[in-house]
C-alpha cells in the first residue's frame, strides 16, 4: 500500500511538472522504501513497518514508549517538511 501511495503521489507530481517526492528515511514510508531498495537479496525477508527500520535517535532513551514517541515526532516533522516542499 505504501508503494502505491508513493507511486500515486509521484504520478501527480509528474502531471504537475514537479520533481518526484522522496520520502525521508525518518518516515515510515521512507524507511520501508529504503529497506526494500537496499536489502540483501540473498536473505531478504518481507517486513511491515517497525521502529527498528527507522534511523536511531541521536540520544539514548531507555523507556521504549518514550523513545518511540520521539521517533514518531521526528517522523512527523520530516513528513511536514516534505509536504511543504511538495506544495512549492
Amino acid at each position: 500500500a505504501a508503494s502505491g501511495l508513493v507511486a500515486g503521489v509521484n504520478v501527480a507530481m509528474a502531471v504537475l511538472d514537479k520533481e518526484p517526492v522522496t520520502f525521508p528515511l525518518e518516515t515510515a514510508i521512507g524507511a520501508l522504501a529504503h529497506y526494500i531498495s537496499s536489502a540483501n537479496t540473498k536473505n531478504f525477508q518481507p517486513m511491515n513497518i517497525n521502529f527498528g527500520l527507522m534511523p536511531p535517535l541521536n540520544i539514548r532513551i531507555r523507556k521504549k514508549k518514550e523513545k518511540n514517541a520521539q521517533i514518531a515526532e521526528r517522523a512527523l516533522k520530516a513528513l511536514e517538511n516534505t509536504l511543504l516542499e511538495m506544495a512549492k
Side-chain angles (χ1 to χ4, degrees), residues 5-6 8-14 16-24 78-88:
L5 175 65
V6 172
V9 166
N10 282 320
V11 165
M13 296 301 278
L16 296 171
D17 289 327
K18 292 187 175 187
E19 291 294 315
V21 177
T22 302
F23 287 87
L79 184 58
E80 182 178 7
N81 290 337
T82 300
L83 293 174
L84 289 172
E85 286 297 315
M86 285 173 54
K88 289 182 180 179

Side-chain angles (χ1 to χ4, degrees), residues 6-80:
V6 172
V9 166
N10 282 320
V11 165
M13 296 301 278
V15 168
L16 296 171
D17 289 327
K18 292 187 175 187
E19 291 294 315
V21 177
T22 302
F23 287 87
L25 188 57
E26 293 81 13
T27 65
I29 292 176
L32 278 172
H34 179 264
Y35 176 75
I36 297 265
S37 63
S38 67
N40 179 350
T41 56
K42 188 173 184 178
N43 298 318
F44 178 75
Q45 294 292 314
M47 184 179 307
N48 289 326
I49 187 61
N50 63 69
F51 287 108
L53 291 179
M54 296 177 176
L57 295 170
N58 294 331
I59 58 173
R60 181 169 164 85
I61 300 174
R62 301 195 111 193
K63 294 181 181 178
K64 186 176 182 178
K65 190 174 185 178
E66 185 179 329
K67 180 175 86 171
N68 290 347
Q70 290 285 329
I71 292 171
E73 185 176 322
R74 179 184 66 183
L76 290 172
K77 287 180 184 175
L79 184 58
E80 182 178 7

